[in-house]
Amino acid sequence: MTEPSVLAVDLGGLHASCALISGKHALACDTIPLDGQAGLAAALPPLAETLRGLLERTPGGPGNCRGIGFSFCGLVDSERSRILSTNGKYDDGPSIDLVAWARTQLGLPLQLENDARTALLGERYAGAAQGFEDVVMMTFGTGIGGAAMIGGRLLRGKHFQAGCLGGHLGADYRGRLCSCGNVGCVEAEASTWALPSICAAHPLFSGSALAALPHIGFESLFRLAASGDRCASEVRDHCIHVWSAGAVSLIHAYDPELIVLGGGVMNAADEILPPMREYVGRHAWTPWGKVEIRAAALGHQASLLGAVPLLEANSW
């Protein structure tokens, strides 16, 4: 008998990744460029078209597809599969019934979840967190996301904010204003969207090669730091310290055995993991032992593979 498949959507601010998943493998993937500022309603027609194409490729036929696991870059009510808050992306999301859309357009059930939570589900299902039941994940994208699992169950909370706002823990009460309204969040002090202004505020910026770049991202920051650019090196170290302090706060809040770090910045894992492990080992209060810190193993497919456990009843 053919193993049931699932459709997976990972909706980001600039694109959506869609996949047909069977077991622990993506049988087919497609990426659609989108504009989060244009709204979710504008994104649904190309999403439906792409998913229909994937559905037709389901082993055993479309009837062998269990449903759609939908990862969203914002706060969601995962019990009703409704978007709650978007923080500047897909602002029409709370008014859209994705469950009804999936039934009408594809004849399938849909389960919605925050994208950091599905990334953690994916890493536990098929990646770096396999075999662990108490895990925190930090995801480094445009912002900094997070998710927590205790006893093998995702932490969601009454208002669905529990565990997924790790990037909005305070790192400096006198720090930068964050997009969430807080001051000095981990995200405001060391994220991709904040990085250009962080660099520009550094006293050595005008003499740094960073000042000549049309866009400053972590890839260029780490590259210039490795070449000896002092401004880049000091900003890199600042960001690693902020991430480390955030990791300690997450450990104290959620008592994990493992922290998984995901996102494009982890291409520099060899430079990031040693100082973070040293900082956490020195500052986290864990008399039972040391929290393990690992890089994510699944890359951009983590949230897609997380659709499988998301759609299974025992993931609740």
Side-chain angles (χ1 to χ4, degrees):
M1 182 176 178
T2 304
E3 183 176 11
S5 301
V6 304
L7 291 176
V9 177
D10 182 13
L11 187 65
L14 300 176
H15 69 272
S17 296
C18 303
L20 175 65
I21 309 290
S22 181
K24 295 185 178 182
H25 304 284
L27 303 181
C29 295
D30 282 309
T31 300
I32 312 167
L34 295 174
D35 179 4
Q37 303 301 320
L40 183 58
L44 293 181
L47 273 176
E49 181 180 357
T50 300
L51 291 173
R52 287 191 200 103
L54 292 171
L55 186 60
E56 290 301 318
R57 301 166 68 177
T58 303
N64 200 39
C65 182
R66 182 183 297 156
I68 303 169
F70 199 112
S71 304
F72 184 75
C73 51
L75 293 177
V76 308
D77 178 338
S78 48
E79 291 180 0
R80 298 187 304 131
S81 285
R82 295 301 296 254
I83 295 168
L84 296 175
S85 180
T86 66
N87 198 19
K89 298 184 286 282
Y90 306 106
D91 283 341
D92 59 340
S95 68
I96 293 176
D97 187 344
L98 286 171
V99 173
W101 169 80
R103 286 287 187 191
T104 301
Q105 296 296 317
L106 294 138
L108 291 171
L110 178 144
Q111 178 64 54
L112 180 69
E113 185 53 275
N114 167 266
D115 56 356
R117 291 198 184 110
T118 55
L120 175 52
L121 283 177
E123 289 291 339
R124 182 171 183 255
Y125 174 62
Q130 291 181 89
F132 288 85
E133 293 197 339
D134 298 276
V135 188
V136 162
M137 187 164 187
M138 298 176 72
T139 57
F140 302 101
T142 303
I144 297 176
M149 176 177 287
I150 297 177
R153 296 169 65 88
L154 283 176
L155 192 62
R156 291 184 172 98
K158 180 177 181 179
H159 304 106
F160 303 98
Q161 296 188 200
C164 69
L165 295 181
H168 298 284
L169 293 173
D172 182 357
Y173 74 92
R174 295 171 297 186
R176 300 169 180 276
L177 180 65
C178 186
S179 62
C180 73
N182 193 12
V183 173
C185 291
V186 171
E187 181 171 307
E189 299 297 324
S191 70
T192 299
W193 68 259
L195 188 58
S197 62
I198 294 168
C199 291
H202 193 282
L204 299 177
F205 179 71
S206 61
S208 167
L210 289 167
L213 296 177
H215 172 73
I216 299 174
F218 279 106
E219 187 278 330
S220 54
L221 180 77
F222 276 79
R223 174 172 47 80
L224 291 174
S227 73
D229 186 299
R230 185 177 166 192
C231 176
S233 177
E234 291 185 4
V235 172
R236 175 202 61 192
D237 293 348
H238 159 81
C239 290
I240 292 174
H241 274 95
V242 171
W243 300 335
S244 301
V248 170
S249 294
L250 289 167
I251 290 167
H252 290 169
Y254 302 121
D255 190 23
E257 299 173 290
L258 171 70
I259 292 182
V260 177
L261 308 177
V265 71
M266 294 311 294
N267 291 330
D270 290 345
E271 297 174 68
I272 294 170
L273 288 173
M276 284 194 69
R277 287 167 175 159
E278 191 278 331
Y279 185 101
V280 168
R282 184 156 39 95
H283 293 290
W285 188 13
T286 55
W288 57 266
K290 291 189 178 297
V291 177
E292 188 170 348
I293 303 178
R294 295 181 181 177
L298 301 177
H300 68 279
Q301 290 197 349
S303 286
L304 297 173
L305 286 165
V308 177
L310 181 65
L311 288 168
E312 292 176 350
N314 63 9
S315 71
W316 293 86

